[in-house]
Every structure is written in structure tokens, then in C-alpha cells.
Amino acid sequence: MSIALFEAQKEQETKTDEVLLSVRNVKKYFPVKGGLFDRVLAHVKAVDDVSFDIHRGETLGLVGESGCGKSTIGKTMLRILNASSGTVEFEGRNIFSLSEKDMRGLRRDMQYIFQDPFSSLNPRLSVGESIARVLRIHGMSRKSEREHRVQELLEMVGLSPYHIRRYPHEFSGGQRQRIGIARALALNPKLIVLDEPVSALDVSIQSQIINLLEDLQKQFNLTYLFVSHGLNVVRHISSRVGVMYLGKLVELAETDTLFAKPQHPYTQALLSANPVADPRQRDEKKMVLEGDVPSPINPPSGCRFRTRCPFATQKCAEVEPAFAKVADNHFVACHYPLN
Amino acid sequence: MMTRLQSHPDPIVQVKGLKTYFYTEEGVVPAIDGVDFEVLRGETLAIVGESGSGKSVTSLSIMRLIPSPPGKIVEGDITFNGESLLTKTNAQMRQIRGNKISMIFQEPMTSLNPVYRVGDQIAESLKLHQGMKKKQALKEAVRLLELVGIPEAERRVSQYPHELSGGMRQRVMIAIALACNPELLIADEPTTALDVTIQNQILHLMKQLKEKTNTSIILITHDLGVVAEVADRVVVMYAGQVVEQGDVYTIFENPKHPYTIGLLESMPSHKKRTGKLKTIEGVVPNPLHLPPGCRFAPRCEFATDLCRSEVPAVITVGQEETVRCWKYTERWEGNLNEHSAV
């Protein structure tokens, strides 16, 4: 190996451009059943041919409106849902081809945090038991060891040791989210999918949780996929951001680039609709999108955004735009990117 | 020391010393504890606060919709066009609700009746309050749906709520609320359940309607972005009390109360995204065990012994602003430094 190549490789490693997880052409269709024999009548194309990479140590934000498939991609990625087609490689292994047993082992490395941890915590188990169970299932057999670890985890997320014996209903929303985070951290994961982790929380509590997530990321070199409809939060926490619309990834770029120079008309509309906490900016002309998101059962031909896009032409109805590179680290699926 | 804002010549709503308590098995919850504010004609007043601050109970008190028991308005007065609403009989209140004062709730699916057509639900209040015949009322319903920007209104009037999207349902709710040309519209988190592009449509619509009909609006929300977008004046609530009120520019650019400052600073900003977010440590106090002094004192970085022992009064600062904080009184001996930057 030549020295130059070696140097280049070394630089790559320190830049943490290493791909931790890569999603390729993933589709997730949900059958719509009905009729006399419960036939499959149609499919909801929740995620339709989506590809992207997540780099080790980064936070990739995923934004979009309800029904755009952002949560589905998160769940499919961790095989909580089975994909209809496509591949997901985690550290080079295609996780869709793993056996159930191998997958269980791999799940230690990949965790999922839900919007409302209350519905994902067993109400009959104390917080300590909930977390200890995860440890036991994954092979920590000594009880004293488990107890020690649970205490350590609770401290990590800013809860007191006396919370161990309490039950989920005794906690506030912010505290429950901390418990959810503690449980996700229990097995030292590498990747955590955060699905609207702060959307249900009050503003002052939101910032506590966001700071906690950032601290933990630094401490344990975690990689996050941060799924949210809250643009301000995503902008704050993410290094790169992907925008989804109706099952498709329409734009992916570094956070500052995406917010400063969006190239997809939908991204622009989304950013423009985002209320800005400055009353002096209220009269700035906004791009108000007409109409609603079309049905994912029968999405529009060509570009899916064309029915609401102010720049749509005949071509947009006929040819589906490719998800193409327009600049370094900037991908857009549009025939007529802005700028 | 002044305790209240100078009254404007002709406010549409005046809330004076309002206390609404809930008598629960565990004890008395002072959900609203001495609240004063006014709504002026043609303005949008935003009431901001986190969960449990009492903002929704305030609006339900104005509508006289506090479930009783356990709730009760124990003190104070609410006037509408100069007349007290608290002395009205239930029959008189029914004449006002949906007619002169209307309300939009957060979740339109639960406030629309699933077994009636959308048109009939709009027509109902027209028949009741305006004495319209069915045919005329349905015609008016179509006009209202067009007004709130629903395409194909002719077809939509005969559809059921489940056939409409979330944004459309919220438009229908607004159409119902506007049916009788109310003088006051109370919107309780009207866009919280909606996506941002749909929220933008609804806020745009509310702004247009205010200009067209000169309706006064009370907007209840936890979202400061929405407040900055539509409000003329802002009331900030914390633990059942108004901690600060003023015009929207003052609240955003020169907030006084440490809680308001904390709220604004803990928002991920559109301007800068580096560095840690400011937080307000701790949580909202349990309403059954409120702190003896200022209710925000346990979370306030400026709190002194005075704050922890005595309740601060509402004082007027500037021209139109009030704040409930010891820092702005002559008894303050603590740190007067401006809020420290992180």
C-alpha cells in the first residue's frame, strides 16, 4: 500500500466518516385488507425505495409530516418491522438476512426510544425491574451486578437511586423519557433511533432532555437517528438532516446547508411554514402550501410532491426524479432543484 | 404599588381576580389563583404556559364550562361587554356560547360528532341561534366552508368527519365557531395536533379572518413560535398565575420575568444552533403543595429568601406590561445583573 493511500485512509478514520449503518432501496408496504375473504386490496407505501447512510458518532435528523414514513423507516431499520425489500447493513452485515437469534444479539447495539415511554414501560414493573429485565435477558445473571448497573444508569440520566422502586405512573413526562433513555443505554448500544423523543414534553423540559442526549452522545460515542417533525429541535441536534415526503427521501444535506439553502421545493415550504419565535419576522412572505398530503395507497405518478408543488411541470407527472447528488453531501430528488 | 393594568376604555372581556379551584380527594387544587387580564376589541391575545399552568382552565372559566363538582369559580369576576358572565343563568349562557363567544379545541375529531354530516353540524348553531330554516342554514354552511378555504365545499357539506383530513376537520371546527359571527373566539391549542404546513394554513386563515371580521381572539398555546406568528399581546402563566403580560414585541425582545426569559432561552433557536440549550431546572410545582412565596422561586436562579417566603404582587412596568416578580420592586436586594449568558 502506498503511503499516500495509507495517509488518506487514516484521515478518513479520524474524520468519523465511517458508515455505521447503510440503508439501501428499502421499501415497506403495509397491506390494506378487506372484502369477504380478507383479500389484500392495496398497499400503503409507507416507505418506498429509500437509501441513506448513517455515520458513526453523528446525529442524522429525519423530518417530515405525519404519514411520510419517517418512523416506519426507523422501525424497519432495526427490524422491528420487516422490510418489504431492500437491505440494511449495520457494520457491514446485512441485518435482514440474520437469523432471529443473531438478530437478538445485534439488538444490543441498536436501540429505539419512543415518543411516549409511558406506553413502552410495563406499568406493573418498577423502574428498576424494567431495566434489570433487559440486563437479565441479555445475559447479566448476577442480581447484585444488575442492581449496581441499574443504579449507575439512573444516575447517568439524572434520576435518583430512590426512583428505582417507583412505578411508571409516578413519574412526569420528562422523567419517563429519562427512564426510556436509561433502558436504551442499558446494553451499551452503538446506535439509538429516537422517535419524537421530546415532542410530548413542555419546552423547559424539552431542553433538559436534549442536553442530556447530547451529553450522553459525547460520553459514549453514540450514533443517533433523530426522527421528529419539530424542525427547530432537529436543527439544533443534527449534523445532517433528511427530509421525507410521502414515503420518499426528497432531500439530504448537512444541517446548515439544508436550512440555509434548501433545494427541494418541499423542504423550502416546510422551512417557511415553521413558525419563527420572532414577531418581527411574522410578515415575511411565507410559502403556504395548498391542500393535503395525498394518500400513500395511490401516490401521484412521477414526483410525489407535484400535486402541491408550485413549480410542477408535465415532466414531473411523467418521470420520477432520481435522488441525485447536487453538491458534496447534498442529495435532492427534484427535476428543478432551487438555486 | 399598582396591582392591575389601567383599564382600556372598552375591553371585550375583563377577567378580574379570578380564582378557579378544584376540590379533589387529595385536597384543593388552585388551578387558577388570582388572574387578571383584558381582551381588547379586534386583538389576538395569546395565553402561554406549560401543562398545568392553568391556561385551559382560564378559557373554560370564561365559557363557564368548568365541570362542577369538582371545579368551582370561587372568587373574582369575568365580564363580557361589561356584563358579568358569572351571574348569568345556564339558559342565558347557552345563548352566548357558540353565538357571541365560540371555542375551538385542540383535537377536532373529538369535538365533531362522528355520526352527523359536517354540514348539519355547522347548520345546527345557525338554526339554534339565528333561527334559520334547514335549507337556508345548509346554504350558509357551504359559504362558511368556502370562507375557511375548503375546496369543493358543496360536496364536503354532506360528508362525515372521518372522511376529512386533520387540517380539514380543524377548518370545519373553525367554520362552526364562526357560524354566528362571534365577537370572541377562544382557540385552545388549535394547531397543536397538526403538521407544520397545515398549521401554517390554519394560522394564515385565523389572521385573515381576524382582519375580515374583526373578531377578538384568545389563543391558548404552549408554542412560542405560534405566539410570535399571530399574537398582539401575550399573557404568560405559571402554576395558576399570570407571571407576565405585555405586547408581543416586548415579551419576545425584552422579557422581564425569569420564567419568560427561561422559556424563550430554552427554545432551540433558529439563529444559533451551537452550544448547549439553556434549561429551567426542576419541574412545575405540585398544585397541592405550592411553595409559600413566589411559585417559580424553586426553579429560579435569582431567588432570594424574600422570594421563597413572600408572594410577589403584580406590578406594572413600562406602559402596558405587568410582571409578578420581586426583582422589579423596591424591596429587591438580590442580584440585579442581567440574565447571565451561557
Side-chain angles (χ1 to χ4, degrees), chain A residues 289-300:
Chain A
L289 277 188
E290 298 296 325
D292 290 311
V293 181
S295 159
I297 294 177
N298 199 4

Side-chain angles (χ1 to χ4, degrees), chain A residues 7-50:
Chain A
E7 290 284 5
Q9 233 174 25
K10 211 175 123 192
E11 205 193 335
Q12 280 265 306
E13 273 167 24
T14 45
K15 261 167 67 187
T16 71
D17 269 358
E18 181 199 349
V19 172
L20 178 67
L21 180 129
S22 78
V23 175
R24 286 294 172 270
N25 309 100
V26 165
K27 293 183 182 178
K28 176 64 192 172
Y29 291 1
F30 293 100
V32 181
K33 291 182 180 174
L36 187 56
F37 300 105
D38 220 16
R39 278 182 308 133
V40 174
L41 301 176
H43 284 95
V44 174
K45 294 166 182 160
V47 172
D48 204 5
D49 200 356
V50 166

Side-chain angles (χ1 to χ4, degrees), chain B residues 113-121 145 150-165 168 172:
Chain B
N113 191 329
V115 298
Y116 285 99
R117 291 172 207 276
V118 168
D120 293 330
Q121 298 191 54
L145 286 182
I150 290 188
E152 304 172 84
E154 292 275 358
R155 185 168 68 88
R156 296 290 183 186
V157 278
S158 50
Q159 287 191 321
Y160 291 90
H162 75 266
E163 297 176 81
L164 306 178
S165 68
M168 292 254 226
V172 170

Side-chain angles (χ1 to χ4, degrees), chain A residues 224-264:
Chain A
Y224 291 151
L225 178 73
F226 194 99
V227 176
S228 177
H229 67 276
L231 291 168
N232 294 332
V233 174
V234 167
R235 181 178 195 177
H236 176 84
I237 202 168
S238 314
S239 41
R240 291 189 304 142
V241 177
V243 182
M244 287 190 75
Y245 185 79
L246 209 58
K248 291 273 185 193
L249 196 57
V250 298
E251 186 160 6
L252 177 67
E254 278 168 11
T255 307
D256 290 332
T257 316
L258 188 99
F259 279 82
K261 278 188 179 167
Q263 299 217 11
H264 197 285

